[in-house]
Amino acid sequence: MISRAVAFLIGLALLLPSPAVEAADVLVVERASGAVQIVDAERKTQRARIEGLGDLSHATAVFTPDGSYAFVFGRDGGLSKIDLARGALVGRVIQGGNSIGGVLAKGGKVVAVANYVPGGVKLFDASTLVELAEIPAVWGPNGERSKVVGLMPAPGDRLVFSLWEAGEIWILDIADPRKPAVTRFKDAGSFPYDGNITPDGRHYIAGLFGEDGLALLDLEHPEQGVRRILDGYGRGEAPLPVYKMPHLGGWGVIGDLLLLPAIGRHEVLLVDRRGWREAGRVAVQGQPVFVVARPGRSEVWVNFAHPANDVVEVIDVASRRVVRRLVPGKAVMHIEFTPDGKEAWVSARDSGAIVVYDADTGEPRARLAAESPSGVFMVSRGLKVGS
Amino acid sequence: MPRIAAALALALAASTAAAWAAEPGPARQAELLHLLKQDCGSCHGLTMKGGLGPALVPERLAERTDETLVEAIVDGRPGTAMPPWRFAVTPEEAAWLVRTLREGLP
């Protein structure tokens, strides 16, 4: 099993060829207008704008390892393929009724999409967008289907995802993507809302909306089943209302520490990966949504759910304190760092802007106009594992 | 006690009746529509076709009473992911949102 993980990492390393020029690009989702912008990260100017991508609320994008293509997953089930160099839409299918996102697997050859309606996962050939398989998330006694969240690629040609209503985690073996094989983990936890994988590809964690705790699955030892960690982190106190679900995608991993949004509490939780115990918590000003680690620094940047959503707080992990508070604009949706950690790109939906910060000083360096921007994705993400 | 309860019920009925009559002003309507699309949209979908929360489209809402829907918005649905919005939306405004949803978003 260890060798599987190693092979996965080596495989990824081999996919890091001469970095394509496009790898310095940023893809910005304009959620209300069904468009994406491709922005030159260096010059901070728009290179292309591609329209006609449908309902892009909650849209995410992934990139091929060579940085040539982006796949954009729309809420309305649209899967769009974009040629980044040409700045053109080169393929589009409506693959479901309501989708939450997707990933690339098998070295970029397979696109996997997580769907709310019809609940399940679908696999597509990344070059043709031809459907390879559908995995319905059937769980109830009467064939009910569950919404799928937290879909992640894992070592050994596997995908891992969680089922919202069912409270299950599934591992999908896609060695043969036309005949995927499911391993089910029932009773993983109540209402998993998202999941992510550690950078070494070994552990999958699902955040739980329905209980105080997180679900952990060791992908090297799946036979051990799902474990509950940080059980009772809310200390039995009534949770505060959650006006927007947090995300675990792009969570903060700093050394052995994992930083995660608490749910229904205005706190960021620190988990020590060596024993999966709580290593502290940091009080913040609202319900955290994204907790993003700054590359190369012991620092995470946090954005928040409605109504306290015009602020970004910067936590210094060593001192476990909020050391800076930024006000990029109204309704901050997403934070993405450049791979060197020098800049943070932050979208402020209701201010119609992307604000690029000098991450050292917290001073804005540039402000780009965009229509209701939400997701901001560095094309270099394609080179990362489990981000 | 029963007298108080009756008076309360009366007052409540009166305020609900008023709620249905009241129309938020144009500026407030624009704000509410923005809230609906963007912030409610994060769970119900930008076009209200559903997400983590159910679709809020006319056909589906036809099966529900105004009271049920207004209550869901103002007080949330405990034990589910639907949070209470009383801090941002009055019952009158929630009633207007329900009317808007019943007509279907443009």
Side-chain angles (χ1 to χ4, degrees), chain A residues 160 162 169 171 185 187-189 192 194-198 200 202-208 213-219 221-222 224-230 251 258 260 271-277:
Chain A
V160 193
S162 301
I169 296 176
I171 296 181
F185 298 87
D187 302 317
D194 198 6
N196 201 355
I197 217 158
T198 48
D200 58 7
R202 170 144 180 205
H203 293 98
Y204 178 85
I205 295 179
L208 302 174
L214 300 142
L216 172 76
L217 182 58
D218 183 343
L219 298 170
H221 294 287
Q224 293 176 357
V226 174
R227 245 172 83 187
R228 195 63 37 84
I229 57 169
L230 264 61
W251 61 10
L258 228 64
L260 307 160
V271 186
D272 190 328
R273 281 203 278 168
R274 285 165 305 187
W276 296 108
R277 290 218 180 74

mmCIF file of all heavy atoms in Angstrom, chain A residues 160 162 169 171 185 187-189 192 194-198 200 202-208 213-219 221-222 224-230 251 258 260 271-277:
data_model
loop_
_atom_site.group_PDB
_atom_site.id
_atom_site.type_symbol
_atom_site.label_atom_id
_atom_site.label_comp_id
_atom_site.label_asym_id
_atom_site.label_seq_id
_atom_site.Cartn_x
_atom_site.Cartn_y
_atom_site.Cartn_z
ATOM 1 N N VAL A 160 -12.390 9.041 -3.708
ATOM 2 C CA VAL A 160 -13.085 8.929 -2.427
ATOM 3 C C VAL A 160 -14.110 10.052 -2.379
ATOM 4 O O VAL A 160 -13.834 11.165 -2.829
ATOM 5 C CB VAL A 160 -12.118 9.084 -1.238
ATOM 6 C CG1 VAL A 160 -12.787 8.659 0.056
ATOM 7 C CG2 VAL A 160 -10.845 8.296 -1.462
ATOM 8 N N SER A 162 -18.078 11.487 -0.230
ATOM 9 C CA SER A 162 -19.007 11.323 0.889
ATOM 10 C C SER A 162 -20.432 11.526 0.411
ATOM 11 O O SER A 162 -20.682 12.226 -0.574
ATOM 12 C CB SER A 162 -18.704 12.339 1.984
ATOM 13 O OG SER A 162 -17.375 12.167 2.442
ATOM 14 N N ILE A 169 -19.109 7.136 3.446
ATOM 15 C CA ILE A 169 -17.951 7.455 2.613
ATOM 16 C C ILE A 169 -17.747 6.274 1.676
ATOM 17 O O ILE A 169 -17.848 5.119 2.114
ATOM 18 C CB ILE A 169 -16.693 7.700 3.479
ATOM 19 C CG1 ILE A 169 -16.895 8.942 4.364
ATOM 20 C CG2 ILE A 169 -15.451 7.879 2.594
ATOM 21 C CD1 ILE A 169 -15.738 9.220 5.321
ATOM 22 N N ILE A 171 -15.217 4.496 -1.368
ATOM 23 C CA ILE A 171 -13.980 4.472 -2.156
ATOM 24 C C ILE A 171 -14.334 3.823 -3.483
ATOM 25 O O ILE A 171 -15.004 2.783 -3.524
ATOM 26 C CB ILE A 171 -12.876 3.654 -1.462
ATOM 27 C CG1 ILE A 171 -12.469 4.296 -0.128
ATOM 28 C CG2 ILE A 171 -11.648 3.543 -2.378
ATOM 29 C CD1 ILE A 171 -11.361 3.533 0.600
ATOM 30 N N PHE A 185 -18.486 2.626 3.167
ATOM 31 C CA PHE A 185 -18.296 2.749 4.609
ATOM 32 C C PHE A 185 -19.544 3.410 5.164
ATOM 33 O O PHE A 185 -19.745 4.605 4.990
ATOM 34 C CB PHE A 185 -17.037 3.561 4.931
ATOM 35 C CG PHE A 185 -15.789 2.899 4.411
ATOM 36 C CD1 PHE A 185 -15.356 3.125 3.111
ATOM 37 C CD2 PHE A 185 -15.079 2.013 5.210
ATOM 38 C CE1 PHE A 185 -14.229 2.491 2.618
ATOM 39 C CE2 PHE A 185 -13.950 1.375 4.720
ATOM 40 C CZ PHE A 185 -13.527 1.612 3.414
ATOM 41 N N ASP A 187 -22.334 4.543 8.150
ATOM 42 C CA ASP A 187 -22.228 5.209 9.462
ATOM 43 C C ASP A 187 -20.922 5.985 9.608
ATOM 44 O O ASP A 187 -20.273 5.930 10.646
ATOM 45 C CB ASP A 187 -22.331 4.181 10.606
ATOM 46 C CG ASP A 187 -23.642 3.419 10.533
ATOM 47 O OD1 ASP A 187 -24.663 4.075 10.280
ATOM 48 O OD2 ASP A 187 -23.626 2.189 10.711
ATOM 49 N N ALA A 188 -20.549 6.672 8.567
ATOM 50 C CA ALA A 188 -19.317 7.461 8.637
ATOM 51 C C ALA A 188 -19.537 8.688 9.511
ATOM 52 O O ALA A 188 -18.606 9.178 10.160
ATOM 53 C CB ALA A 188 -18.876 7.876 7.241
ATOM 54 N N GLY A 189 -20.756 9.194 9.547
ATOM 55 C CA GLY A 189 -21.064 10.384 10.339
ATOM 56 C C GLY A 189 -22.275 11.084 9.748
ATOM 57 O O GLY A 189 -22.625 10.849 8.594
ATOM 58 N N PRO A 192 -22.159 14.508 6.142
ATOM 59 C CA PRO A 192 -20.852 15.015 5.699
ATOM 60 C C PRO A 192 -21.074 16.104 4.646
ATOM 61 O O PRO A 192 -21.870 15.913 3.727
ATOM 62 C CB PRO A 192 -20.169 13.787 5.093
ATOM 63 C CG PRO A 192 -21.277 12.829 4.772
ATOM 64 C CD PRO A 192 -22.400 13.127 5.730
ATOM 65 N N ASP A 194 -18.363 18.050 3.207
ATOM 66 C CA ASP A 194 -17.243 18.172 2.269
ATOM 67 C C ASP A 194 -16.139 17.240 2.764
ATOM 68 O O ASP A 194 -16.181 16.772 3.906
ATOM 69 C CB ASP A 194 -16.723 19.621 2.222
ATOM 70 C CG ASP A 194 -15.874 19.899 0.973
ATOM 71 O OD1 ASP A 194 -15.776 19.007 0.100
ATOM 72 O OD2 ASP A 194 -15.313 21.005 0.860
ATOM 73 N N GLY A 195 -15.170 16.986 1.912
ATOM 74 C CA GLY A 195 -14.069 16.131 2.321
ATOM 75 C C GLY A 195 -12.798 16.566 1.626
ATOM 76 O O GLY A 195 -12.831 17.298 0.640
ATOM 77 N N ASN A 196 -11.678 16.145 2.175
ATOM 78 C CA ASN A 196 -10.400 16.436 1.533
ATOM 79 C C ASN A 196 -9.409 15.352 1.927
ATOM 80 O O ASN A 196 -9.654 14.551 2.831
ATOM 81 C CB ASN A 196 -9.891 17.818 1.927
ATOM 82 C CG ASN A 196 -8.869 18.367 0.932
ATOM 83 O OD1 ASN A 196 -8.457 17.688 -0.017
ATOM 84 N ND2 ASN A 196 -8.446 19.600 1.147
ATOM 85 N N ILE A 197 -8.280 15.358 1.221
ATOM 86 C CA ILE A 197 -7.294 14.328 1.419
ATOM 87 C C ILE A 197 -5.991 15.005 1.844
ATOM 88 O O ILE A 197 -5.710 16.128 1.407
ATOM 89 C CB ILE A 197 -7.188 13.530 0.097
ATOM 90 C CG1 ILE A 197 -6.960 12.056 0.342
ATOM 91 C CG2 ILE A 197 -6.190 14.094 -0.834
ATOM 92 C CD1 ILE A 197 -7.379 11.227 -0.838
ATOM 93 N N THR A 198 -5.206 14.355 2.696
ATOM 94 C CA THR A 198 -3.948 14.962 3.132
ATOM 95 C C THR A 198 -2.981 14.999 1.945
ATOM 96 O O THR A 198 -3.098 14.191 1.025
ATOM 97 C CB THR A 198 -3.331 14.174 4.301
ATOM 98 O OG1 THR A 198 -3.334 12.787 3.956
ATOM 99 C CG2 THR A 198 -4.126 14.382 5.570
ATOM 100 N N ASP A 200 -0.139 13.908 1.433
ATOM 101 C CA ASP A 200 0.559 12.658 1.117
ATOM 102 C C ASP A 200 -0.401 11.612 0.539
ATOM 103 O O ASP A 200 0.009 10.499 0.233
ATOM 104 C CB ASP A 200 1.260 12.113 2.368
ATOM 105 C CG ASP A 200 0.292 11.879 3.520
ATOM 106 O OD1 ASP A 200 -0.934 12.000 3.316
ATOM 107 O OD2 ASP A 200 0.759 11.571 4.633
ATOM 108 N N ARG A 202 -2.735 10.028 1.956
ATOM 109 C CA ARG A 202 -3.016 8.881 2.818
ATOM 110 C C ARG A 202 -4.360 8.934 3.557
ATOM 111 O O ARG A 202 -5.019 7.915 3.721
ATOM 112 C CB ARG A 202 -1.881 8.744 3.839
ATOM 113 C CG ARG A 202 -2.229 7.749 4.896
ATOM 114 C CD ARG A 202 -1.095 6.940 5.379
ATOM 115 N NE ARG A 202 -1.598 6.026 6.397
ATOM 116 C CZ ARG A 202 -0.862 5.509 7.350
ATOM 117 N NH1 ARG A 202 0.422 5.800 7.409
ATOM 118 N NH2 ARG A 202 -1.398 4.696 8.226
ATOM 119 N N HIS A 203 -4.736 10.111 4.038
ATOM 120 C CA HIS A 203 -5.949 10.193 4.850
ATOM 121 C C HIS A 203 -7.026 11.036 4.198
ATOM 122 O O HIS A 203 -6.753 12.121 3.695
ATOM 123 C CB HIS A 203 -5.629 10.773 6.230
ATOM 124 C CG HIS A 203 -4.778 9.886 7.071
ATOM 125 N ND1 HIS A 203 -3.423 10.062 7.184
ATOM 126 C CD2 HIS A 203 -5.090 8.798 7.815
ATOM 127 C CE1 HIS A 203 -2.928 9.122 7.979
ATOM 128 N NE2 HIS A 203 -3.916 8.342 8.370
ATOM 129 N N TYR A 204 -8.244 10.531 4.257
ATOM 130 C CA TYR A 204 -9.410 11.284 3.781
ATOM 131 C C TYR A 204 -10.196 11.717 5.005
ATOM 132 O O TYR A 204 -10.428 10.925 5.919
ATOM 133 C CB TYR A 204 -10.277 10.396 2.895
ATOM 134 C CG TYR A 204 -11.538 11.065 2.382
ATOM 135 C CD1 TYR A 204 -11.514 11.848 1.225
ATOM 136 C CD2 TYR A 204 -12.761 10.907 3.028
ATOM 137 C CE1 TYR A 204 -12.673 12.455 0.743
ATOM 138 C CE2 TYR A 204 -13.922 11.512 2.557
ATOM 139 C CZ TYR A 204 -13.871 12.285 1.411
ATOM 140 O OH TYR A 204 -15.021 12.886 0.932
ATOM 141 N N ILE A 205 -10.574 12.990 5.022
ATOM 142 C CA ILE A 205 -11.356 13.498 6.145
ATOM 143 C C ILE A 205 -12.623 14.145 5.629
ATOM 144 O O ILE A 205 -12.586 14.944 4.690
ATOM 145 C CB ILE A 205 -10.553 14.528 6.966
ATOM 146 C CG1 ILE A 205 -9.349 13.832 7.606
ATOM 147 C CG2 ILE A 205 -11.418 15.174 8.038
ATOM 148 C CD1 ILE A 205 -8.477 14.747 8.405
ATOM 149 N N ALA A 206 -13.746 13.788 6.236
ATOM 150 C CA ALA A 206 -15.012 14.434 5.896
ATOM 151 C C ALA A 206 -15.436 15.297 7.068
ATOM 152 O O ALA A 206 -15.379 14.873 8.224
ATOM 153 C CB ALA A 206 -16.079 13.388 5.586
ATOM 154 N N GLY A 207 -15.854 16.527 6.772
ATOM 155 C CA GLY A 207 -16.428 17.400 7.794
ATOM 156 C C GLY A 207 -17.891 17.013 7.961
ATOM 157 O O GLY A 207 -18.552 16.641 6.990
ATOM 158 N N LEU A 208 -18.401 17.086 9.181
ATOM 159 C CA LEU A 208 -19.777 16.663 9.437
ATOM 160 C C LEU A 208 -20.619 17.859 9.857
ATOM 161 O O LEU A 208 -20.240 18.604 10.760
ATOM 162 C CB LEU A 208 -19.794 15.597 10.530
ATOM 163 C CG LEU A 208 -18.954 14.347 10.233
ATOM 164 C CD1 LEU A 208 -18.923 13.422 11.442
ATOM 165 C CD2 LEU A 208 -19.492 13.614 9.003
ATOM 166 N N GLY A 213 -17.737 16.705 15.086
ATOM 167 C CA GLY A 213 -16.626 15.798 14.887
ATOM 168 C C GLY A 213 -16.344 15.685 13.400
ATOM 169 O O GLY A 213 -17.031 16.282 12.575
ATOM 170 N N LEU A 214 -15.295 14.927 13.079
ATOM 171 C CA LEU A 214 -14.934 14.721 11.679
ATOM 172 C C LEU A 214 -14.734 13.231 11.477
ATOM 173 O O LEU A 214 -14.443 12.498 12.413
ATOM 174 C CB LEU A 214 -13.631 15.463 11.376
ATOM 175 C CG LEU A 214 -13.668 16.977 11.600
ATOM 176 C CD1 LEU A 214 -12.356 17.469 12.177
ATOM 177 C CD2 LEU A 214 -13.981 17.709 10.322
ATOM 178 N N ALA A 215 -14.907 12.793 10.237
ATOM 179 C CA ALA A 215 -14.739 11.377 9.920
ATOM 180 C C ALA A 215 -13.407 11.189 9.205
ATOM 181 O O ALA A 215 -13.097 11.922 8.264
ATOM 182 C CB ALA A 215 -15.893 10.904 9.037
ATOM 183 N N LEU A 216 -12.622 10.217 9.667
ATOM 184 C CA LEU A 216 -11.283 9.985 9.122
ATOM 185 C C LEU A 216 -11.182 8.577 8.549
ATOM 186 O O LEU A 216 -11.565 7.602 9.189
ATOM 187 C CB LEU A 216 -10.261 10.143 10.257
ATOM 188 C CG LEU A 216 -8.814 9.750 9.934
ATOM 189 C CD1 LEU A 216 -8.139 10.824 9.090
ATOM 190 C CD2 LEU A 216 -8.011 9.526 11.214
ATOM 191 N N LEU A 217 -10.658 8.500 7.333
ATOM 192 C CA LEU A 217 -10.455 7.193 6.709
ATOM 193 C C LEU A 217 -8.999 7.092 6.276
ATOM 194 O O LEU A 217 -8.502 7.940 5.527
ATOM 195 C CB LEU A 217 -11.394 7.044 5.505
ATOM 196 C CG LEU A 217 -11.367 5.729 4.740
ATOM 197 C CD1 LEU A 217 -11.691 4.548 5.643
ATOM 198 C CD2 LEU A 217 -12.360 5.773 3.579
ATOM 199 N N ASP A 218 -8.303 6.057 6.772
ATOM 200 C CA ASP A 218 -6.912 5.818 6.402
ATOM 201 C C ASP A 218 -6.919 5.024 5.102
ATOM 202 O O ASP A 218 -7.314 3.861 5.083
ATOM 203 C CB ASP A 218 -6.221 5.031 7.525
ATOM 204 C CG ASP A 218 -4.739 4.799 7.242
ATOM 205 O OD1 ASP A 218 -4.324 4.942 6.069
ATOM 206 O OD2 ASP A 218 -4.004 4.479 8.193
ATOM 207 N N LEU A 219 -6.475 5.644 4.025
ATOM 208 C CA LEU A 219 -6.587 4.996 2.720
ATOM 209 C C LEU A 219 -5.546 3.903 2.516
ATOM 210 O O LEU A 219 -5.629 3.127 1.575
ATOM 211 C CB LEU A 219 -6.490 6.042 1.601
ATOM 212 C CG LEU A 219 -7.620 7.077 1.636
ATOM 213 C CD1 LEU A 219 -7.340 8.207 0.674
ATOM 214 C CD2 LEU A 219 -8.958 6.436 1.339
ATOM 215 N N HIS A 221 -5.132 1.827 5.032
ATOM 216 C CA HIS A 221 -5.769 0.755 5.812
ATOM 217 C C HIS A 221 -7.277 0.931 5.831
ATOM 218 O O HIS A 221 -7.873 1.088 6.900
ATOM 219 C CB HIS A 221 -5.218 0.730 7.238
ATOM 220 C CG HIS A 221 -3.777 0.357 7.288
ATOM 221 N ND1 HIS A 221 -3.350 -0.930 7.055
ATOM 222 C CD2 HIS A 221 -2.670 1.107 7.474
ATOM 223 C CE1 HIS A 221 -2.028 -0.947 7.122
ATOM 224 N NE2 HIS A 221 -1.594 0.265 7.365
ATOM 225 N N PRO A 222 -7.881 0.865 4.651
ATOM 226 C CA PRO A 222 -9.332 1.069 4.625
ATOM 227 C C PRO A 222 -10.080 -0.003 5.421
ATOM 228 O O PRO A 222 -11.185 0.232 5.889
ATOM 229 C CB PRO A 222 -9.683 0.998 3.129
ATOM 230 C CG PRO A 222 -8.517 0.381 2.451
ATOM 231 C CD PRO A 222 -7.324 0.640 3.310
ATOM 232 N N GLN A 224 -9.626 -0.821 8.258
ATOM 233 C CA GLN A 224 -9.862 -0.371 9.637
ATOM 234 C C GLN A 224 -11.121 0.477 9.770
ATOM 235 O O GLN A 224 -11.546 0.811 10.864
ATOM 236 C CB GLN A 224 -8.658 0.425 10.149
ATOM 237 C CG GLN A 224 -7.422 -0.439 10.317
ATOM 238 C CD GLN A 224 -6.194 0.372 10.726
ATOM 239 O OE1 GLN A 224 -6.239 1.589 10.826
ATOM 240 N NE2 GLN A 224 -5.099 -0.329 10.944
ATOM 241 N N GLY A 225 -11.675 0.867 8.629
ATOM 242 C CA GLY A 225 -12.928 1.599 8.655
ATOM 243 C C GLY A 225 -12.772 3.065 9.002
ATOM 244 O O GLY A 225 -11.662 3.580 9.134
ATOM 245 N N VAL A 226 -13.905 3.735 9.137
ATOM 246 C CA VAL A 226 -13.923 5.168 9.399
ATOM 247 C C VAL A 226 -13.864 5.410 10.900
ATOM 248 O O VAL A 226 -14.542 4.749 11.670
ATOM 249 C CB VAL A 226 -15.211 5.804 8.829
ATOM 250 C CG1 VAL A 226 -15.305 7.273 9.223
ATOM 251 C CG2 VAL A 226 -15.249 5.667 7.319
ATOM 252 N N ARG A 227 -13.003 6.357 11.270
ATOM 253 C CA ARG A 227 -12.846 6.725 12.676
ATOM 254 C C ARG A 227 -13.388 8.123 12.893
ATOM 255 O O ARG A 227 -13.275 8.966 12.019
ATOM 256 C CB ARG A 227 -11.349 6.812 12.943
ATOM 257 C CG ARG A 227 -10.809 5.814 13.902
ATOM 258 C CD ARG A 227 -9.300 5.944 13.875
ATOM 259 N NE ARG A 227 -8.856 7.026 14.749
ATOM 260 C CZ ARG A 227 -7.580 7.431 14.799
ATOM 261 N NH1 ARG A 227 -6.666 6.884 14.014
ATOM 262 N NH2 ARG A 227 -7.234 8.380 15.631
ATOM 263 N N ARG A 228 -13.911 8.361 14.072
ATOM 264 C CA ARG A 228 -14.344 9.705 14.409
ATOM 265 C C ARG A 228 -13.183 10.428 15.072
ATOM 266 O O ARG A 228 -12.519 9.868 15.942
ATOM 267 C CB ARG A 228 -15.526 9.625 15.387
ATOM 268 C CG ARG A 228 -16.308 10.897 15.566
ATOM 269 C CD ARG A 228 -16.980 11.363 14.297
ATOM 270 N NE ARG A 228 -17.487 10.258 13.496
ATOM 271 C CZ ARG A 228 -18.641 9.676 13.678
ATOM 272 N NH1 ARG A 228 -19.437 10.079 14.624
ATOM 273 N NH2 ARG A 228 -19.025 8.688 12.913
ATOM 274 N N ILE A 229 -12.903 11.671 14.615
ATOM 275 C CA ILE A 229 -11.876 12.453 15.313
ATOM 276 C C ILE A 229 -12.473 13.778 15.791
ATOM 277 O O ILE A 229 -13.493 14.220 15.263
ATOM 278 C CB ILE A 229 -10.620 12.696 14.440
ATOM 279 C CG1 ILE A 229 -10.979 13.399 13.135
ATOM 280 C CG2 ILE A 229 -9.892 11.387 14.161
ATOM 281 C CD1 ILE A 229 -9.776 13.900 12.366
ATOM 282 N N LEU A 230 -11.844 14.359 16.746
ATOM 283 C CA LEU A 230 -12.307 15.606 17.365
ATOM 284 C C LEU A 230 -13.765 15.499 17.791
ATOM 285 O O LEU A 230 -14.551 16.437 17.656
ATOM 286 C CB LEU A 230 -12.132 16.786 16.403
ATOM 287 C CG LEU A 230 -10.873 17.600 16.579
ATOM 288 C CD1 LEU A 230 -9.642 16.764 16.359
ATOM 289 C CD2 LEU A 230 -10.855 18.786 15.637
ATOM 290 N N TRP A 251 -7.821 23.220 2.309
ATOM 291 C CA TRP A 251 -7.645 23.395 3.749
ATOM 292 C C TRP A 251 -6.190 23.702 4.080
ATOM 293 O O TRP A 251 -5.282 23.517 3.264
ATOM 294 C CB TRP A 251 -8.121 22.173 4.523
ATOM 295 C CG TRP A 251 -7.388 20.895 4.205
ATOM 296 C CD1 TRP A 251 -6.249 20.772 3.468
ATOM 297 C CD2 TRP A 251 -7.775 19.580 4.595
ATOM 298 N NE1 TRP A 251 -5.904 19.451 3.387
ATOM 299 C CE2 TRP A 251 -6.809 18.703 4.065
ATOM 300 C CE3 TRP A 251 -8.815 19.062 5.357
ATOM 301 C CZ2 TRP A 251 -6.878 17.326 4.262
ATOM 302 C CZ3 TRP A 251 -8.866 17.703 5.545
ATOM 303 C CH2 TRP A 251 -7.905 16.849 5.005
ATOM 304 N N LEU A 258 -3.260 20.344 10.769
ATOM 305 C CA LEU A 258 -4.318 20.548 9.797
ATOM 306 C C LEU A 258 -5.224 21.616 10.389
ATOM 307 O O LEU A 258 -5.575 21.513 11.562
ATOM 308 C CB LEU A 258 -5.098 19.253 9.744
ATOM 309 C CG LEU A 258 -5.439 18.618 8.435
ATOM 310 C CD1 LEU A 258 -4.175 18.201 7.722
ATOM 311 C CD2 LEU A 258 -6.275 17.380 8.705
ATOM 312 N N LEU A 260 -8.848 23.525 10.146
ATOM 313 C CA LEU A 260 -10.162 23.275 9.565
ATOM 314 C C LEU A 260 -11.201 24.227 10.140
ATOM 315 O O LEU A 260 -11.098 24.631 11.295
ATOM 316 C CB LEU A 260 -10.631 21.863 9.935
ATOM 317 C CG LEU A 260 -9.705 20.703 9.645
ATOM 318 C CD1 LEU A 260 -10.097 19.513 10.491
ATOM 319 C CD2 LEU A 260 -9.816 20.367 8.182
ATOM 320 N N VAL A 271 -5.720 20.343 14.129
ATOM 321 C CA VAL A 271 -5.644 18.918 14.384
ATOM 322 C C VAL A 271 -4.203 18.478 14.162
ATOM 323 O O VAL A 271 -3.594 18.839 13.157
ATOM 324 C CB VAL A 271 -6.538 18.141 13.391
ATOM 325 C CG1 VAL A 271 -6.581 16.665 13.756
ATOM 326 C CG2 VAL A 271 -7.935 18.721 13.351
ATOM 327 N N ASP A 272 -3.670 17.706 15.105
ATOM 328 C CA ASP A 272 -2.328 17.166 14.939
ATOM 329 C C ASP A 272 -2.441 15.826 14.231
ATOM 330 O O ASP A 272 -3.067 14.899 14.738
ATOM 331 C CB ASP A 272 -1.662 16.991 16.312
ATOM 332 C CG ASP A 272 -0.190 16.666 16.166
ATOM 333 O OD1 ASP A 272 0.179 16.006 15.169
ATOM 334 O OD2 ASP A 272 0.593 17.080 17.048
ATOM 335 N N ARG A 273 -1.805 15.739 13.066
ATOM 336 C CA ARG A 273 -1.922 14.531 12.261
ATOM 337 C C ARG A 273 -1.227 13.327 12.889
ATOM 338 O O ARG A 273 -1.458 12.209 12.485
ATOM 339 C CB ARG A 273 -1.282 14.769 10.886
ATOM 340 C CG ARG A 273 -2.166 15.549 9.963
ATOM 341 C CD ARG A 273 -1.764 15.275 8.548
ATOM 342 N NE ARG A 273 -0.624 16.083 8.144
ATOM 343 C CZ ARG A 273 0.062 15.862 7.043
ATOM 344 N NH1 ARG A 273 -0.221 14.847 6.266
ATOM 345 N NH2 ARG A 273 1.064 16.652 6.715
ATOM 346 N N ARG A 274 -0.340 13.570 13.848
ATOM 347 C CA ARG A 274 0.389 12.434 14.414
ATOM 348 C C ARG A 274 -0.493 11.575 15.307
ATOM 349 O O ARG A 274 -0.254 10.404 15.450
ATOM 350 C CB ARG A 274 1.628 12.909 15.169
ATOM 351 C CG ARG A 274 2.729 13.324 14.198
ATOM 352 C CD ARG A 274 3.787 14.123 14.885
ATOM 353 N NE ARG A 274 3.212 15.279 15.574
ATOM 354 C CZ ARG A 274 3.929 16.231 16.142
ATOM 355 N NH1 ARG A 274 5.238 16.172 16.130
ATOM 356 N NH2 ARG A 274 3.333 17.254 16.729
ATOM 357 N N GLY A 275 -1.503 12.154 15.909
ATOM 358 C CA GLY A 275 -2.379 11.309 16.729
ATOM 359 C C GLY A 275 -3.840 11.611 16.457
ATOM 360 O O GLY A 275 -4.722 11.065 17.088
ATOM 361 N N TRP A 276 -4.088 12.521 15.495
ATOM 362 C CA TRP A 276 -5.445 12.933 15.146
ATOM 363 C C TRP A 276 -6.187 13.490 16.343
ATOM 364 O O TRP A 276 -7.351 13.209 16.573
ATOM 365 C CB TRP A 276 -6.211 11.788 14.473
ATOM 366 C CG TRP A 276 -5.558 11.430 13.180
ATOM 367 C CD1 TRP A 276 -4.841 10.301 12.921
ATOM 368 C CD2 TRP A 276 -5.505 12.230 12.006
ATOM 369 N NE1 TRP A 276 -4.347 10.356 11.640
ATOM 370 C CE2 TRP A 276 -4.744 11.523 11.055
ATOM 371 C CE3 TRP A 276 -6.025 13.484 11.644
ATOM 372 C CZ2 TRP A 276 -4.487 12.015 9.768
ATOM 373 C CZ3 TRP A 276 -5.781 13.970 10.372
ATOM 374 C CH2 TRP A 276 -5.019 13.244 9.457
ATOM 375 N N ARG A 277 -5.455 14.265 17.147
ATOM 376 C CA ARG A 277 -6.093 14.917 18.291
ATOM 377 C C ARG A 277 -6.132 16.409 18.055
ATOM 378 O O ARG A 277 -5.331 16.947 17.297
ATOM 379 C CB ARG A 277 -5.283 14.664 19.554
ATOM 380 C CG ARG A 277 -5.397 13.246 19.968
ATOM 381 C CD ARG A 277 -5.479 13.056 21.467
ATOM 382 N NE ARG A 277 -5.590 11.632 21.708
ATOM 383 C CZ ARG A 277 -4.551 10.803 21.573
ATOM 384 N NH1 ARG A 277 -3.369 11.277 21.260
ATOM 385 N NH2 ARG A 277 -4.717 9.517 21.761
#
